[in-house]
Amino acid sequence: MTREEIDQVAAALDEAEHTRRQIGLLSIAHPGMTMDDAYAVQAAWVEKKKRNGRRVIGRKIGLTSKAMQQALNIDIPDSGILFDDMLFENGGTVPEGRFIQPRIEAEIAFVMSGDLKGPDVTVADVLTATDHVAPSLEILDTRILRVDPETKKTRNVCDTIADNAANAGVVLGRHKLLPTEIDMRWMGAIVFRNGEVEETGLGAGVLNNPAGGIAWLANRLAQYGDWVRAGEIVLSGSFVRPVEARPGDKIIADFGPYGLVDCRFE
């Protein structure tokens, strides 16, 4: 993609977010689009948001489970950026009309106390650079159609990456856990919607160890001269399938001894 095309797509995504009117699949409009193109679009959109006053507070990792990777025919995760206006209070309310088609995932969030600069970042490095982990909910949304109405083609990984990895919001739990004192592979959640169980899962679903996802991110960012910074929140990836969040729904993720995380949608 040309620089002009990248900037045009970033502007279209920004407009879609503000108007809550989705745009068509980028993978159809730009059939030669690569993952590098998609990350370039994401970066252009991030810079646009920063110029408009938004502040970066962290990052998210997606597509960490084998099932999701196979669905999109890829073998690596993707990543996106968290902004200050994406952070919602635990137990709080998401206002009506804030998102287009919100969905919820349960994740383990890492809050960093040190920088992580690749290449060659290891799980041990991640644990050393982590202040604490916390149970969390990620709110997903899509500024791009999930399915093209004419061809019935579904979004691919380039669509998702360009759309800031479908990132929209995060709810952090109150429990702060030392990652060296728990086995995050066995840190799981039961996700309820309006009192009914929708999904269950364990942290092992995230690359066998959620800290491995953070290491992957730091090493990927090193290819572009970037890194994970102290103070950032990093969502390590979902270990459940997305749950649709409809108007009036209350979503609760019960992490057992590690606490509850919940939010309600007006």
Side-chain angles (χ1 to χ4, degrees), residues 11 46 127-128 140 198 228 254:
V46 166
L127 299 181
T128 299
L140 303 174
E198 293 286 341
V228 176
D254 183 352

Side-chain angles (χ1 to χ4, degrees), residues 15-219:
E15 179 72 9
E17 183 174 67
H18 284 97
T19 63
R20 297 189 296 278
R21 294 179 180 176
Q22 294 170 314
I23 63 174
L25 270 65
L26 302 178
S27 52
I28 292 179
H30 302 276
M33 188 179 198
T34 66
M35 290 179 66
D36 282 342
D37 291 331
Y39 276 116
V41 170
Q42 182 189 118
W45 191 14
V46 166
E47 289 305 312
K48 184 175 181 63
K49 282 176 172 284
K50 288 165 68 174
R51 290 194 300 270
N52 290 334
R54 296 274 59 84
R55 178 173 58 87
V56 173
I57 62 168
R59 304 169 190 270
K60 67 146 298 180
I61 306 168
L63 303 177
T64 52
S65 74
K66 291 293 185 182
M68 290 301 294
Q69 289 182 4
Q70 289 169 2
L72 291 176
N73 195 31
I74 63 167
D75 59 3
I76 59 172
D78 69 356
S79 66
I81 300 295
L82 287 168
F83 290 95
D84 54 346
D85 62 338
M86 295 179 174
L87 188 60
F88 291 86
E89 183 179 356
N90 188 11
T93 298
V94 178
E96 181 180 4
R98 171 66 188 271
F99 300 119
I100 303 170
Q101 293 178 331
R103 295 182 294 167
I104 291 283
E105 293 180 336
E107 308 196 14
I108 298 171
F110 287 64
V111 179
M112 310 310 299
S113 58
D115 291 352
L116 278 176
K117 294 185 177 182
D120 304 322
V121 170
T122 66
V123 167
D125 295 329
V126 172
L127 299 181
T128 299
T130 300
D131 181 78
H132 65 273
V133 298
S136 71
L137 294 173
E138 182 184 3
I139 303 173
L140 303 174
D141 200 14
T142 174
R143 281 62 59 167
I144 299 172
L145 292 171
R146 295 186 194 175
V147 180
D148 179 68
E150 294 183 6
T151 65
K152 306 304 178 186
K153 180 181 177 182
T154 58
R155 289 179 304 163
N156 68 17
V157 67
C158 291
D159 293 296
T160 302
I161 290 171
D163 194 17
N164 197 21
N167 193 16
V170 57
V171 184
L172 290 181
R174 296 183 179 89
H175 283 59
K176 297 180 179 180
L177 312 163
L178 294 178
T180 54
E181 294 184 356
I182 59 173
D183 186 344
M184 286 179 283
R185 298 176 306 156
W186 289 97
M187 184 177 171
I190 306 168
V191 181
F192 297 85
R193 181 175 62 189
N194 303 329
E196 294 188 7
V197 176
E198 293 286 341
E199 288 290 333
T200 64
L202 290 173
V206 179
L207 302 174
N208 191 43
N209 185 339
I214 312 301
W216 168 86
L217 176 64
N219 291 327

